[in-house]
Amino acid sequence: IQTGDYLPAFTLSGKDGYTFSPEVGTAYLITFFNPTCQDCRRELPKLETVWENLRGQEGFEMVNIVRDMTLDQLSEAAEGSRWLAMPVYPDPDREVYRLFATQTIPRIYLTDRSGTILRMWVNEVPETAEDFLALIQASIEKP
């Protein structure tokens, strides 16, 4: 998946039996990470800033996909972590991850409401938390 491509169709199951599938009409920030990954942990504060500022925002959804972990492993690894409050979905066999890439996390995708990938970041988000948040807010406004 590259910038300009459309978000592929997929379904994920999270805690409490919640199921997620992307829909046209919503902008998404989709992150692939693993809590054991040092680069991923470095980027989590920026993701937490986005979550704290935009959760519940109409027309936006944040989706954090944990590569190589089951829901039980994820819950155990996240105990006491703030990021578990964000929408988190396990991808233990990389089924969803393979739709996007073959290697490297963290991997972050930002879409507009049409499902078009506007931006992608691999390994790091060079923007400050505030600039990252501004980019995401602009994607929510873009039809």
Side-chain angles (χ1 to χ4, degrees):
I1 298 284
Q2 297 294 320
T3 301
D5 291 344
Y6 283 102
L7 191 60
F10 62 91
T11 300
L12 290 165
S13 296
K15 58 186 176 183
D16 301 326
Y18 183 77
T19 301
F20 168 80
S21 294
E23 299 176 356
V24 172
T26 300
Y28 293 100
L29 182 69
I30 298 175
T31 303
F32 291 93
F33 77 103
N34 187 297
T36 63
C37 163
Q38 184 174 353
D39 292 334
C40 298
R41 287 194 311 265
R42 180 192 66 229
E43 299 304 319
L44 280 173
K46 290 178 185 173
L47 297 172
E48 289 169 349
T49 297
V50 172
W51 175 246
E52 289 165 4
N53 284 277
L54 296 179
R55 68 177 162 191
Q57 170 84 31
E58 186 177 334
F60 173 75
E61 198 161 338
M62 187 171 176
V63 181
N64 301 293
I65 303 169
V66 180
R67 195 180 79 171
D68 301 323
M69 284 190 155
T70 65
L71 193 54
D72 288 341
Q73 291 168 324
L74 171 59
S75 295
E76 186 176 307
E79 194 169 325
S81 298
R82 288 181 21 194
W83 59 263
L84 193 55
M86 298 186 291
V88 179
Y89 301 89
D91 187 18
D93 300 321
R94 298 187 183 192
E95 289 179 29
V96 174
Y97 181 76
R98 275 188 234 129
L99 297 172
F100 290 80
T102 58
Q103 61 185 4
T104 310
I105 54 174
R107 185 172 286 273
I108 303 169
Y109 296 87
L110 176 63
T111 75
D112 63 14
R113 290 180 184 221
S114 75
T116 302
I117 307 283
L118 298 176
R119 296 280 304 263
M120 63 180 273
W121 295 266
V122 178
N123 200 30
E124 71 176 317
V125 175
E127 290 84 2
T128 65
E130 294 77 21
D131 290 342
F132 186 48
L133 184 58
L135 285 169
I136 295 164
Q137 287 174 319
S139 77
I140 295 169
E141 296 167 7
K142 185 175 180 180

